[in-house]
Amino acid sequence: MPYIVKDKILFLAEASKILSSTIDYNVTLAIISKLIVTSIADFCIIDIFEGHKLKRLAVNVSDPKKQQLAHKVFRFMPDPRNKEAIYDAAKLGAPIIIPKATKQWLSSVSKIKEERETIEKLGLNSHMFVPLKSGGEVIGVLTIASMDKNFSYTQDDAVFIEELALRAGAAVDKARLYKEAQEALYTRDEFLSIASHELKTPLTSILLNLQGMLNKIHKSNSKNPEIKETVRLIEISKRQTHRMARLINDLLNVSVVSTGKLKIEKEKFDLVTLINDVVMSFRTRLTNEKIDVKIQSSEKEIIGNWDYVRIEQVISNLLSNAIKYGKKKTITISSGKNNSYAIFKVKDQGIGISEKDQEYIFERFKRVVSDNEYSGLGVGLYIANQIIKAHKGRLTVKSQVGKGSTFIVELPFK
Ligand code: ADP
């Protein structure tokens, strides 16, 4: 193979283009090794730092017949205790050229006989060890080698390969950061899932105990004013515990949706009845806050096959938001259908949402109100939207600042 790249600038431009085509860590490493063995070398290894140690992540060879042999090299991780040029290049921060792989050099490369034999069998001659850098820091080392007995890498080649290594280093670092960010997100969702599960258990027991205390006090029929005050305090604790349970449930739902574990279990039910039932469950709160909810439907019943619990959750979420952001004005929940969809709308006359903000409100943890004025986690609409999407339906909003908002849910019958 001629280790000559005719138009180096064009080659580097092409390399940059190919490297920017992916953000996947393993694909990036594979692209780099492939670029090298189809241009300037017969053999290539990529070692990347994990902490202070280099980890072998990619190996490639130009001769398909030597693939198996090349993959053996994976087993031999570079050892900082050996006199290996790989670690020297990393320390130096500049390429190291071995013009010829002499017997003497080979014996100094590794203490492992099998490794030396593999290199010999591969027929590797001239080597170059090039540090991979990103933001001025060495993040790994690129090892390249030729199989031509009469060829030696030169200083000119080193300048060119350093240029390629610069682009490769930046691409590897970008892909690595992306991979780490994805892993961190996954860990966070897993943690949320476990934490919210664990928190639910003691909370259920607290609620049961509070209810038990209330029952005992009511049975004792005491007129003592101290007892009256105790009942008031227990009622407050119960409300706060319920609120905490709702927040924990929201967190649990976020982790279920984000980790792709949302399961839709369909059953046949009437949407009109469900809307009435959900509003009923809010009665105490609506009466306390003096808010009127009107229920309208063009149909007597709207029977469909959907996930009962999840649709109940969506209606509750939308109604709860209408109460929270509706400035205590009348809320209207209307429903209807056409041939393909059931439709229901939750309309309030509250603060409204600007057109720009309407783009964000369905995203996870996104809130467009001040935390001081309105409390919340910013997950209700995200979960509702994911539930409706899982039903192949649509959740949209029409709103004007200061005039109110209407959330529209379209649920397909099939
Ligand atoms: P939360 O209400 O806990 O913040 P949601 O995901 O339910 O979370 O809503 C996201 C954001 O959308 C809210 O913070 C609020 O800014 C806006 N929003 C939702 N519903 C309404 C509504 N009915 N009227 C005005 N703004 C709303």
Side-chain angles (χ1 to χ4, degrees):
M1 122 151 279
Y3 309 100
I4 298 162
V5 174
K6 277 197 191 116
D7 190 335
K8 290 179 177 164
I9 293 183
L10 190 70
F11 179 86
L12 289 172
E14 271 303 306
S16 296
K17 210 158 102 189
I18 300 169
L19 283 170
S20 66
S21 68
T22 182
I23 191 78
D24 186 287
Y25 192 51
N26 293 325
V27 175
T28 302
L29 294 170
I31 288 176
I32 297 167
S33 68
K34 183 90 191 156
L35 270 171
I36 287 167
V37 298
T38 47
S39 56
I40 42 177
D42 289 307
F43 181 73
C44 154
I45 303 173
I46 303 175
D47 295 299
I48 302 287
F49 273 110
E50 274 185 14
H52 294 299
K53 274 195 165 172
L54 282 165
K55 194 168 174 212
R56 186 141 297 172
L57 293 181
V59 172
N60 214 332
V61 66
S62 58
D63 184 351
K65 280 182 250 134
K66 292 191 171 165
Q67 251 344 313
Q68 230 174 343
L69 207 53
H71 275 272
K72 253 181 137 180
V73 177
F74 256 119
R75 268 189 273 150
F76 312 118
M77 287 289 161
D79 186 342
R81 289 166 305 180
N82 290 349
K83 281 179 81 199
E84 290 208 28
I86 295 182
Y87 274 98
D88 289 345
K91 231 182 270 165
L92 194 68
I96 292 179
I97 299 171
I98 308 292
K100 288 216 178 311
T102 56
K103 277 248 178 246
Q104 193 194 358
W105 178 74
L106 265 178
S107 62
S108 74
V109 164
S110 172
K111 289 191 180 75
I112 307 163
K113 193 166 159 243
E114 202 187 346
E115 184 175 1
R116 292 194 302 269
E117 280 172 3
T118 309
I119 298 172
E120 263 178 307
K121 273 190 205 151
L122 275 165
L124 304 179
N125 184 33
S126 184
H127 282 64
M128 180 148 36
F129 302 89
V130 190
L132 281 169
K133 292 182 190 170
S134 176
E137 249 179 71
V138 177
I139 60 159
V141 178
L142 191 67
T143 302
I144 69 169
S146 81
M147 289 176 184
D148 188 336
K149 293 272 169 286
N150 302 313
F151 171 86
S152 295
Y153 286 112
T154 63
Q155 206 51 48
D156 258 6
D157 297 323
V159 172
F160 169 58
I161 294 164
E162 247 191 316
E163 277 295 321
L164 178 65
L166 218 60
R167 285 154 177 81
V172 168
D173 213 25
K174 193 172 78 180
R176 177 161 71 169
L177 285 174
Y178 180 73
K179 185 169 156 252
E180 280 170 5
Q182 292 299 103
E183 282 165 0
L185 282 180
Y186 187 78
T187 311
R188 181 197 66 184
D189 288 335
E190 280 292 302
F191 171 76
L192 275 182
S193 169
I194 295 163
S196 38
H197 255 301
E198 291 300 313
L199 288 169
K200 264 174 104 174
T201 319
L203 219 55
T204 312
S205 132
I206 292 172
L207 273 171
L208 282 172
N209 287 343
L210 289 172
Q211 191 54 50
M213 281 185 217
L214 282 178
N215 292 346
K216 277 201 164 60
I217 293 173
H218 288 318
K219 259 194 202 150
S220 74
N221 224 348
S222 167
K223 297 272 181 297
N224 184 335
E226 293 258 335
I227 295 284
K228 224 175 145 192
E229 177 58 10
T230 311
V231 168
R232 196 182 71 82
L233 293 175
I234 297 177
E235 291 284 3
I236 293 173
S237 308
K238 233 180 89 182
R239 273 202 299 280
Q240 293 300 338
T241 317
H242 268 299
R243 192 164 160 240
M244 203 194 258
R246 270 201 306 278
L247 290 172
I248 290 173
N249 228 13
D250 274 352
L251 285 180
L252 181 61
N253 278 316
V254 173
S255 61
V256 165
V257 171
S258 316
T259 47
K261 290 180 192 151
L262 176 70
K263 274 199 215 99
I264 296 296
E265 285 166 19
K266 291 187 180 176
E267 59 185 297
K268 220 177 195 176
F269 65 89
D270 172 25
L271 188 63
V272 180
T273 309
L274 178 60
I275 290 172
N276 276 287
D277 289 350
V278 172
V279 176
M280 270 307 284
S281 70
F282 276 80
R283 268 297 157 227
T284 320
R285 189 170 160 199
L286 292 168
T287 312
N288 286 346
E289 298 194 27
K290 297 191 179 61
I291 298 170
D292 197 19
V293 176
K294 281 203 176 81
I295 304 175
Q296 302 170 341
S297 183
S298 59
E299 314 292 325
K300 254 183 96 180
E301 52 178 27
I302 303 172
I303 309 278
N305 224 356
W306 306 296
D307 187 319
Y308 182 90
V309 176
R310 295 292 179 194
I311 298 300
E312 181 186 29
Q313 192 180 349
V314 172
I315 304 168
S316 293
N317 256 327
L318 297 180
L319 178 56
S320 170
N321 278 352
I323 296 171
K324 186 158 54 168
Y325 304 110
K327 289 199 196 146
K328 300 205 182 291
K329 292 189 185 162
T330 302
I331 297 164
T332 311
I333 307 185
S334 54
S335 55
K337 66 172 185 179
N338 60 26
N339 281 344
S340 358
Y341 286 97
I343 300 171
F344 70 88
K345 300 177 183 177
V346 180
K347 178 173 185 270
D348 66 61
Q349 304 177 72
I351 60 170
I353 308 155
S354 73
E355 215 163 296
K356 190 175 128 272
D357 288 342
Q358 288 172 28
E359 286 175 35
Y360 307 113
I361 55 172
F362 297 103
E363 286 173 26
R364 197 163 46 159
F365 305 123
K366 275 280 154 67
R367 312 195 69 225
V368 294
V369 282
S370 101
D371 288 337
N372 299 336
E373 244 180 303
Y374 299 96
S375 67
L377 293 175
V379 297
L381 284 181
Y382 166 72
I383 295 164
N385 192 30
Q386 297 301 320
I387 292 174
I388 299 303
K389 272 190 181 165
H391 281 83
K392 300 198 170 52
R394 282 202 323 155
L395 170 60
T396 49
V397 64
K398 284 205 170 97
S399 184
Q400 247 183 303
V401 175
K403 294 246 165 87
S405 315
T406 304
F407 284 86
I408 305 154
V409 177
E410 291 167 299
L411 276 175
F413 285 115
K414 274 191 195 141

